[in-house]
Amino acid sequence: VLRRGLLARLERRLGLAVLYARDIYEWRVQKAREMGVKIGKDCRLYSMEFSTEPYLVELGDHVVVGSGTQFITHDGGTWVFDDLDRLSESKNLYGKIRVGSNVFIGIGCIILCNVEIGDNCVIGAGSVVRNNIPPNSVAAGNPAKVLMKLSRYRTLVRTNERTMIHH
């Protein structure tokens, strides 16, 4: 039984090595799933920073996560409260992060616990998302705020003469 388990782990690691050489994006998705992240179809991860509780992170279908983005599933700042002992032995508060489908999260974002990003959203580079972002929104900043609806962003991109489109 022990040999079978060891052989299964070795097989899995070899499979991931082959996948890494063939498709780095799918390899990242598989590694994140192994960590416990719930991930939909057709996702692309440029960051693997899913905090210490990756099982609290859920990504929908067709999500891009920019490099350097961090998903923070806990709030350790509560450690400073003297009276927290009666609430929690760990002195940390934990919360889920849910990202809907068809979402783009820019480079270097921080997504904090207890946040939901709706479907069809763009989160600007360097944003700190600490509140829910409604569906069909473009949000950016620290803290991230909704700047416009996705339909307005689409119009701006399509009508901007400086926009370069690469096929």
Side-chain angles (χ1 to χ4, degrees), residues 59-96:
L59 306 177
D61 296 335
H62 198 250
V63 173
V64 173
V65 177
S67 64
T69 292
Q70 300 175 52
F71 293 85
I72 309 297
T73 56
H74 60 278
D75 178 358
T78 56
W79 183 82
V80 301
F81 301 151
D82 288 336
D83 63 349
L84 193 61
D85 285 338
R86 62 186 156 85
L87 299 176
S88 169
E89 287 185 29
S90 71
K91 297 187 180 183
N92 284 317
L93 299 176
Y94 300 89
K96 291 183 178 183

Side-chain angles (χ1 to χ4, degrees), residues 146-163:
V146 174
L147 303 177
M148 65 186 79
K149 290 289 190 187
L150 188 64
S151 57
R152 173 90 172 115
Y153 178 63
R154 183 180 192 155
T155 300
L156 287 172
V157 168
R158 288 185 170 188
T159 58
N160 185 340
E161 57 195 45
R162 294 182 301 175
T163 299

Side-chain angles (χ1 to χ4, degrees), residues 83-148:
D83 63 349
L84 193 61
D85 285 338
R86 62 186 156 85
L87 299 176
S88 169
E89 287 185 29
S90 71
K91 297 187 180 183
N92 284 317
L93 299 176
Y94 300 89
K96 291 183 178 183
I97 297 171
R98 186 186 172 286
V99 177
S101 293
N102 199 38
V103 173
F104 178 87
I105 300 173
I107 291 172
C109 291
I110 299 173
I111 315 298
L112 298 175
C113 61
N114 295 313
V115 161
E116 183 167 339
I117 298 172
D119 293 343
N120 307 310
C121 286
V122 173
I123 307 298
S127 296
V128 177
V129 182
R130 65 178 193 161
N131 295 307
N132 292 345
I133 304 297
N136 304 302
S137 298
V138 175
N142 180 5
K145 294 189 184 330
V146 174
L147 303 177
M148 65 186 79

